[in-house]
Amino acid sequence: MAIKKELILDFAGVLATNFSPFFWQELSEESKTSYEMLVQFKKEIREELWTGKVSEGEFWAQLCKQFPAIKRDKAKAILISNIKPLPAIREVATWSEYANIHIVSNHRIEWIQPIIKPIESYVRSITISSQVGYCKPESEIFTLVKMQLSNECNVLFVDDQEKNFKEAKELGWNTLLADENGNWIERIIPLISQLQT
């Protein structure tokens, strides 16, 4: 029996929409808060948020403390409404027939769990930055994903940001940039089929 290939998928920009910058724009309009100041806050808290050094609750508490006009429940609803499944998520079940599927993402598991849940049975591993304490493009998060692979020689990694490919290429993984139009989706099965067995 042929050994399955390995398909590693980013989440935001690949399986679901990136909530930034739309969340911050909508939040700015809703709360009459400076967009520039919100973006500065985002930059300052980004690493701690994605690596889980601050909890989701602490993130909302800090946001509302710094910007009192923002109401937590409304802000959270705006954020969740900006994370929507992309067409590729409907292909995961089919792709799982050709490859072991892995998800790796800089995200909060609390925010993406509802979208991941329906495809979880087709996925071999899920590595989320807020749970493991590392963010792409740090080598440590790629090492954690590598430990989940059964076939390290035949790997295809899909991400929507080229800056995340450096570590992947050093591990010998093939890479594919997910374009905004979703044209990359049609390339998955042919690319997996071309990988050595």
Side-chain angles (χ1 to χ4, degrees):
M1 190 172 99
I3 299 172
K4 273 190 173 183
K5 317 295 172 56
E6 308 287 337
L7 176 59
I8 304 169
L9 302 168
D10 178 31
F11 182 79
V14 174
L15 296 177
T17 54
N18 277 306
F19 70 82
S20 185
F22 307 108
F23 162 67
W24 299 103
Q25 291 168 346
E26 196 173 334
L27 187 61
S28 170
E29 293 166 11
E30 166 68 26
S31 63
K32 307 288 192 289
T33 301
S34 161
Y35 175 71
E36 290 72 22
M37 290 176 72
L38 287 172
V39 168
Q40 184 59 38
F41 171 83
K42 176 189 81 165
K43 288 177 182 174
E44 290 169 2
I45 202 166
R46 180 188 180 279
E47 185 180 343
E48 290 185 330
L49 177 66
W50 286 154
T51 58
K53 289 177 183 161
V54 300
S55 68
E56 184 204 13
E58 289 168 336
F59 164 73
W60 293 118
Q62 287 185 37
L63 177 67
C64 295
K65 182 178 180 182
Q66 193 160 333
F67 305 101
I70 293 174
K71 304 304 174 203
R72 176 178 173 150
D73 290 346
K74 181 65 177 174
K76 190 169 182 177
I78 292 171
L79 185 143
I80 297 302
S81 73
N82 277 287
I83 305 174
K84 299 172 184 157
L86 287 172
I89 208 155
R90 296 193 296 267
E91 305 299 324
V92 170
T94 300
W95 293 341
S96 72
E97 297 173 17
Y98 297 83
N100 297 318
I101 309 288
H102 306 270
I103 295 173
V104 59
S105 185
N106 292 348
H107 227 300
R108 298 293 312 195
I109 191 65
E110 303 94 334
W111 299 343
I112 63 177
Q113 189 65 50
I115 294 176
I116 289 179
K117 195 75 178 162
I119 62 165
E120 221 165 1
S121 62
Y122 302 108
V123 175
R124 176 70 64 93
S125 73
I126 300 171
T127 307
I128 307 299
S129 62
S130 67
Q131 295 181 305
V132 300
Y134 301 106
C135 284
K136 293 179 296 171
E138 294 173 343
S139 61
E140 291 88 348
I141 196 166
F142 288 95
T143 300
L144 290 171
V145 176
K146 181 184 174 192
M147 291 167 61
Q148 306 297 322
L149 305 179
S150 301
N151 184 359
E152 292 181 32
C153 300
N154 298 303
V155 181
L156 177 61
F157 172 49
V158 182
D159 201 296
D160 66 323
Q161 296 186 47
E162 283 193 66
K163 68 180 182 181
N164 293 325
F165 288 153
K166 182 177 180 291
E167 288 294 332
K169 287 178 178 176
E170 287 180 8
L171 289 169
W173 298 353
N174 298 282
T175 59
L176 175 62
L177 185 67
D179 61 281
E180 288 183 8
N181 296 325
N183 296 324
W184 65 273
I185 295 170
E186 294 177 7
R187 298 184 61 199
I188 291 294
I189 291 176
L191 282 171
I192 292 173
S193 300
Q194 288 170 18
L195 295 178
Q196 295 175 352
T197 53

